[in-house]
Amino acid sequence: RLLPLLPGLLALLGVLVLLGPALGQGLGQTRFVCTSVPLDGDVCAASALGTGSAEELKGTVLQLRETVLQQKETIMNQKETIRELTAKLGRCESQSVLELPGEGKGRKGFAKNTMGDLSRPPAAETLSQLGQTLQSLKTRLENLEQFSRMNSSSQTNNLKDILQNKIDDLEKQVLSRVNSLEEGKLSPRNESEERGKIESTLTSLHQRISDLEKGQKDNRPPDRFQLTFSLRTNYMYAKVKKSLPEMYAFSICMWIKSNASPGMGTPFSYAVPGQANELVLIEWGNNPMEILINDKVAKLPFVINDGKWHHICVTWTTRDGVWEAYQDGTQTGNGENLAPYHPIKPQGVLVLGQEQDTLGGGFDATQAFVGELAHFNVWDRKLSPGEVYGLATCSSKALSGNVIAWAEANIDIYGGATKWTFEACRQLN
């Protein structure tokens, strides 16, 4: 209650100090006492209480003065903090404005946040991933060197030298990017362009090595291969050349192997114009694997993240949205009301290894698939339990997908994803 009277009290005290000698001479032994009065109190009643000593009043005034000084200092500190926070916020906002044009957009025009996306990895982490990709390519080149010793020819040696030189050049580019980033020389636009050049060269280099490796497998059947996604990146993926037709039912089956944590990522995603999540299989964070149809979700009871090969199938019909999930030939779950009466739309893009936030792109490293994948087949009907069991046990009567059949000629690979020979039943022996 004393704080509202503080200015008046201090002014009165100053007057008393200035006039004290004169007042003392004119009034003899008269003594003036300052008394605080509550806002709703009576002045006359309060004057009767002014019996405290001068020392007590002086102590009260000094205490009030000290309180005022402390509050003033606190206010100044808070103002300085506010100024610092405002400056930091301004810098963050200006940086966001610079980054927005290059970012993918979500379905409603906002910065993408599909399936709980995390932020993209920083440039340093991306450079580390590029370095690992280069190391993987060098290992494959060493294997080719051993092959060339057994089958020495000038053509093979020349190809090996050309590829080795390209890898050396790429390593120099990565090192140059690291130095430029450390010195702050690269603007966001230049950094993005430089990264695009390196990734494009990586894809070209990988294709040359893959073609060279293919020469060692002249008699390999077209479906005896697997895709390996060794790193969690936003540029390593495979693309199915053929789109899906309009489908009122489907069965999607594949062999899959992963022990990535947390979550193996996105084995496949199918996006159509206006809907990035038309058909997606994803395991992200600590969530169970999920199937998305037109952004509707069903959780799948798969237990496959153990570093071993597993055969999985998901079937679905638009009538009542009925779905079934099979692992290693046995049905492990089923349900209904998953996007009922919504046919799968045609003219989309089918990607293996990445989740699409835009048609054919908008990849996020946090949702990338890490592991191995093979025999990805799609049917436009619901397979019977017996047919699924035949696929999982490698029956000689096992079918290939009538919509998408697993064959090297049907798949394009990008960013360092690799193809290796795959024997579907080796884990059953």
Side-chain angles (χ1 to χ4, degrees):
R1 292 180 181 271
L2 291 174
L3 288 178
L5 299 175
L6 186 58
L9 186 59
L10 292 175
L12 180 58
L13 182 60
V15 171
L16 291 175
V17 171
L18 292 173
L19 301 180
L23 290 173
Q25 293 176 4
L27 297 176
Q29 299 299 320
T30 302
R31 183 174 58 174
F32 291 88
V33 178
C34 298
T35 305
S36 63
V37 180
L39 291 175
D40 55 353
D42 182 28
V43 177
C44 296
S47 63
L49 299 175
T51 57
S53 67
E55 290 298 326
E56 291 174 345
L57 289 172
K58 182 179 179 181
T60 302
V61 171
L62 292 176
Q63 184 177 0
L64 289 172
R65 186 172 182 273
E66 183 66 24
T67 301
V68 170
L69 292 175
Q70 290 176 356
Q71 289 181 344
K72 183 178 180 181
E73 183 178 356
T74 300
I75 291 172
M76 294 301 294
N77 290 338
Q78 289 175 343
K79 285 184 177 180
E80 183 62 28
T81 301
I82 291 171
R83 279 195 294 268
E84 290 179 2
L85 291 176
T86 302
K88 290 180 180 179
L89 181 60
R91 288 196 296 270
C92 289
E93 288 176 343
S94 63
Q95 184 176 1
S96 298
V97 170
L98 288 174
E99 293 175 352
L100 279 176
E103 291 291 331
K105 296 294 182 181
R107 290 179 298 281
K108 296 183 180 179
F110 297 102
K112 65 184 186 59
N113 190 29
T114 305
M115 298 300 300
D117 286 354
L118 302 177
S119 59
R120 294 183 184 275
E125 183 177 342
T126 301
L127 289 171
S128 175
Q129 293 168 350
L130 287 172
Q132 293 179 51
T133 302
L134 286 172
Q135 186 58 47
S136 173
L137 291 174
K138 291 179 73 172
T139 300
R140 293 169 64 191
L141 195 58
E142 290 173 1
N143 294 334
L144 289 172
E145 286 179 353
Q146 295 178 0
F147 176 77
S148 66
R149 293 190 194 103
M150 299 171 58
N151 302 272
S152 59
S153 69
S154 59
Q155 182 180 7
T156 302
N157 289 329
N158 288 338
L159 278 173
K160 186 260 293 182
D161 292 339
I162 292 172
L163 292 172
Q164 183 63 61
N165 291 335
K166 282 196 172 186
I167 288 179
D168 292 341
D169 290 341
L170 275 172
E171 287 181 320
K172 292 177 182 177
Q173 291 182 47
V174 171
L175 181 60
S176 175
R177 276 190 70 197
V178 172
N179 294 334
S180 297
L181 285 170
E182 289 177 348
E183 297 172 5
K185 292 181 179 178
L186 287 180
S187 67
R189 176 177 296 181
N190 291 337
E191 197 270 342
S192 177
E193 292 177 354
E194 192 71 18
R195 173 179 164 182
K197 292 178 182 178
I198 292 178
E199 291 175 3
S200 175
T201 308
L202 272 176
T203 299
S204 174
L205 178 60
H206 155 74
Q207 192 61 52
R208 293 290 300 275
I209 293 180
S210 295
D211 291 342
L212 201 56
E213 290 170 335
K214 192 180 297 183
Q216 303 175 36
K217 314 178 185 75
D218 294 332
N219 299 320
R220 187 176 74 188
D223 64 338
R224 296 277 182 88
F225 76 101
Q226 69 183 52
L227 296 179
T228 299
F229 303 90
S230 56
L231 302 172
R232 199 180 292 277
T233 73
N234 61 356
Y235 57 83
M236 185 181 294
Y237 67 102
K239 183 178 177 181
V240 180
K241 295 180 181 179
K242 184 180 177 182
S243 180
L244 298 179
E246 185 173 61
M247 297 190 298
Y248 295 85
F250 68 71
S251 296
I252 299 178
C253 302
M254 72 195 79
W255 286 95
I256 196 167
K257 175 183 177 182
S258 178
N259 60 359
S261 178
M264 68 174 64
T266 308
F268 76 87
S269 65
Y270 177 67
V272 297
Q275 176 54 280
N277 291 334
E278 182 68 6
L279 180 56
V280 181
L281 184 68
I282 186 171
E283 182 185 73
W284 58 284
N286 295 314
N287 301 290
M289 184 166 281
E290 298 173 338
I291 184 79
L292 283 77
I293 299 177
N294 191 33
D295 255 337
K296 307 302 185 295
V297 182
K299 298 184 183 300
L300 304 179
F302 290 146
V303 183
I304 55 179
N305 199 349
D306 57 4
K308 299 179 181 179
W309 282 102
H310 294 280
H311 187 266
I312 61 173
C313 277
V314 180
T315 69
W316 172 86
T317 59
T318 186
R319 181 179 177 86
D320 296 325
V322 175
W323 61 270
E324 296 174 346
Y326 294 83
Q327 178 176 328
D328 298 327
T330 302
Q331 185 180 135
T332 57
N334 60 77
E336 57 184 16
N337 292 322
L338 175 58
Y341 304 102
H342 171 83
I344 302 300
K345 296 178 182 178
Q347 305 303 317
V349 177
L350 181 56
V351 167
L352 305 179
Q354 295 284 354
E355 194 271 332
Q356 302 173 68
D357 282 336
T358 59
L359 187 64
F363 304 145
D364 191 313
T366 62
Q367 295 176 335
F369 173 68
V370 179
E372 298 167 74
L373 185 151
H375 285 266
F376 178 87
N377 286 276
V378 181
W379 294 260
D380 58 3
R381 64 180 180 86
K382 177 181 175 182
L383 296 182
S384 69
E387 288 174 320
V388 174
Y389 184 78
L391 289 167
T393 55
C394 301
S395 167
S396 59
K397 298 180 180 180
L399 305 170
S400 295
N402 68 328
V403 174
I404 300 294
W406 186 248
E408 287 194 68
N410 296 337
I411 305 291
D412 288 328
I413 54 178
Y414 301 91
T418 56
K419 291 180 181 178
W420 301 99
T421 301
F422 175 72
E423 294 291 342
C425 294
R426 62 183 174 183
Q427 71 277 10
L428 300 178
N429 297 330

